[in-house]
Amino acid sequence: MEIRNMTRRLLLPFQMSMRYKLMILMVIIAVLPLTLVTIFAAKTTKQSLSLEIIRSNESRMDWAAKYFDEKFSQLHSVAYSLLMDNNLFPITNGESMSTGNGLDAGKLYIDEKLRSLYVANNNNIVSISLYLNAKQRMYIVDKDAVRSTDQWVTLVGNWSEIANNHQTVNKIVKSTRNNFKLVRSMNRFEDHEILGGVFIEARWNMMDNVINMIHSEPNSQVLVLDAQGNNMYNPYPGQTMIDQEMLEKAIHSPMEPGFIKSKQGILFYQPVVSADLWIVKFIPISYVNQGASTTLSFSFYTAMVSVLLAIILSVLIAYFTTKPIIRLTRSMKAVEHQNFNVGVDKIRSDEIGTLERRFNSMLQKMKELIQIEYKSKIEKRTAQLKAMQAQINPHFLYNALQSIGGVALSRNAPEIYEHVRALSELFRYTIKMKSDIVTVADEIEHVTNYLQIQKLRFQDMIHIQIDIEEDCGIYQLPKFILQPIVENCFVHGLEGQMEKWLVTIRVEKMMDEIEISIEDNGLGMDEVRLEEIRRQLSRWGEDQVLGESMGMNNVNSRIKLIFGQEYGMFVTSSKGVGTTVKVVIPAIIKGEEPL
């Protein structure tokens, strides 16, 4: 839980600030490619160096193999000079070495032969031994002298047993740490009988020149092994031994040169002398890494400097890029706290400058709107004060009419009382209803009072018919929308009509709508006048000052503003027949929302 809270606190600045997000993003974009390039360069450098080491050492090992084969060819030539001497190894059975004077000159011939070969090759050869099975003796020449012995047991075994078993011997064996012996047997072709053998003990230092050439890396190791993997010669015994498992894998592979790469290093192997011997070289992985360390160090330090510069540049770029945005954000926060004196002074020329200009423009418009709203509130309060003052007159007139009605009733003048009551109800309807929305029943009652006053004026000339469908009185409609229409019947339709006047008001519910029809039998209108009125009603929202006029345009505009454009007034008329005005509103009961 503590770790989660700590992580949340560390990530909070990056979640809240775009500057930190941009810094992190730019650092990642700058550092990640550099890091990947550095890693790739280090890996490529190491691979290139490893490949170069492999190529150069393969070339050296190949040259060393040729050198070994050449040197061993020389040793074989010495052995062949003895094995092919017919005086030493007669071709047919029964031949023997003898001289013309009858003396046993065989030993003298052998001594002279061995001594001449030794003197000619004593730089590389330690000793030469010749075993003659017919004489059952071993002849040896070295730096001391030529001698013979009947000791037949050698490094390769008992020669008497080898002769009895008809074994063929062709070996290279280790004699001392710095010497080796080349052993070859002489077998008769017909029956493979052992006639004898040659032992040449040579010095390994004859190979030192080529081994030193192979030993090109100071911490590498070079060995000469036999075909079974036994150590024949280790010119650098003080160095670490090669892993035995790698050695066995190398010399038991096909008789071809190659190399093995492992975590410990690179092992090169090269068969020589017809795979009787193997030259093995091991280069530890530390040398490969050390060789690449200089390049890797340079790449690492270069990458570190580049990463540091990239981080600094990324932070600076992110800082200066987000600086105007943060300044703009602070200005907006100040506006939230009703501080409007925070406009941006230094405008940039880029996209952020466009935002700053738009912010200044918005700020200026907000100041203007606040001033306008402040003035509107003052004007509204003034209008409310005037309206309250204006209500004094209807109240006074309403009270005065009530007093007059009372006097008329006390003087037995009921007709005067009814007309005064109707007039007082008109004023009471004006000051009683505070809301602009009333019921159909209230509006019909108000129109009824108005018609009663008109009937006082026109007496029996006017006939009024009101037909309200059951339950339609509970629906709502705007206040004062029927009286202006009925008033138009008298002003524009009935005056001048000689016949009896008829005003009909019908209220009906059609589906989810309320239709109120006001019809008169007045003079009517021609098509031109009717089209002009309809055109004015269709332009209900243009050039209208709501509340100042109680005419038909005002009534139509109020209906459309409250209920929608699909509702309103619809006029039909015929010249000399009369006019019908239909008011269509939605069927809404108090508390419901318009559909």
Side-chain angles (χ1 to χ4, degrees), residues 262-534:
S262 66
K263 295 180 179 180
Q264 290 77 25
I266 306 174
L267 178 69
F268 297 90
Y269 51 91
Q270 178 78 39
V272 294
V273 195
S274 300
D276 288 336
L277 296 176
W278 289 77
I279 303 174
V280 176
K281 178 181 180 181
F282 177 74
I283 302 176
I285 196 66
S286 59
Y287 175 79
V288 179
N289 295 334
Q290 183 181 1
S293 62
T294 303
T295 304
L296 294 177
S297 298
F298 176 77
S299 301
F300 175 76
Y301 290 124
T302 303
M304 289 299 295
V305 173
S306 301
V307 166
L308 184 61
L309 291 176
I311 292 175
I312 294 174
L313 289 177
S314 300
V315 171
L316 290 177
I317 292 173
Y319 176 80
F320 288 106
T321 301
T322 57
K323 183 177 180 180
I325 299 177
I326 293 176
R327 180 179 61 182
L328 191 61
T329 303
R330 290 173 179 172
S331 298
M332 289 182 177
K333 289 182 179 179
V335 172
E336 290 181 357
H337 294 85
Q338 308 299 321
N339 183 7
F340 299 100
N341 298 319
V342 289
V344 181
D345 298 330
K346 297 179 180 180
I347 305 298
R348 296 164 59 101
S349 58
D350 53 10
E351 289 81 359
I352 297 177
T354 303
L355 291 176
E356 292 173 340
R357 285 190 291 272
R358 295 294 181 270
F359 174 74
N360 286 343
S361 176
M362 180 191 69
L363 195 62
Q364 184 62 31
K365 289 181 178 179
M366 288 179 64
K367 291 179 180 179
E368 295 175 357
L369 290 174
I370 289 173
Q371 293 178 355
I372 293 173
E373 184 181 4
Y374 179 72
K375 292 179 179 179
S376 298
K377 287 182 178 179
I378 294 176
E379 292 176 356
K380 183 178 179 180
R381 289 181 178 275
T382 303
Q384 289 176 346
L385 181 60
K386 291 182 178 179
M388 293 176 64
Q389 293 175 349
Q391 286 182 355
I392 297 175
N393 293 331
H395 272 286
F396 173 76
L397 185 58
Y398 170 74
N399 293 331
L401 289 175
Q402 287 290 332
S403 300
I404 294 173
V407 172
L409 189 61
S410 63
R411 298 292 176 88
N412 295 322
E415 293 183 358
I416 297 175
Y417 171 76
E418 286 298 324
H419 293 303
V420 171
R421 184 197 61 78
L423 184 59
S424 65
E425 287 296 326
L426 287 177
F427 286 107
R428 188 180 68 85
Y429 186 74
T430 303
I431 63 177
K432 177 182 177 183
M433 302 293 184
K434 294 183 179 180
S435 175
D436 191 49
I437 302 298
V438 296
T439 63
V440 172
D442 292 334
E443 189 70 8
I444 292 297
E445 182 181 359
H446 174 68
V447 171
T448 302
N449 291 326
Y450 171 78
L451 291 174
Q452 184 173 351
I453 296 173
Q454 291 289 4
K455 203 166 185 180
L456 174 65
R457 175 183 174 189
F458 296 105
Q459 297 298 326
D460 295 334
M461 288 183 62
I462 183 172
H463 178 71
I464 298 171
Q465 182 178 350
I466 298 176
D467 185 9
I468 302 177
E469 191 174 295
E470 186 178 359
D471 296 333
C472 285
I474 61 175
Y475 294 103
Q476 295 184 319
L477 78 168
K479 190 177 181 181
F480 294 123
I481 66 169
L482 299 183
Q483 179 188 336
I485 300 174
V486 174
E487 188 175 350
N488 282 340
C489 294
F490 291 96
V491 176
H492 302 291
L494 297 176
E495 288 189 0
Q497 170 71 291
M498 300 306 296
E499 298 179 0
K500 192 172 184 178
W501 298 353
L502 176 62
V503 176
T504 303
I505 301 175
R506 293 188 181 88
V507 181
E508 300 174 305
K509 182 179 181 183
M510 300 292 184
M511 302 296 289
D512 56 350
E513 295 178 343
I514 301 298
E515 293 186 359
I516 303 174
S517 300
I518 301 174
E519 182 180 353
D520 64 65
N521 62 342
L523 300 176
M525 293 177 283
D526 55 21
E527 290 295 329
V528 176
R529 177 59 180 164
L530 181 62
E531 287 299 323
E532 181 180 354
I533 291 176
R534 288 175 176 174

Side-chain angles (χ1 to χ4, degrees), residues 72 170-174 180-183 232 273 276-277:
F72 273 88
N170 184 8
K171 291 185 177 181
I172 301 172
V173 296
K174 182 178 181 180
F180 66 93
K181 281 188 177 182
L182 177 64
V183 183
M232 295 290 290
V273 195
D276 288 336
L277 296 176

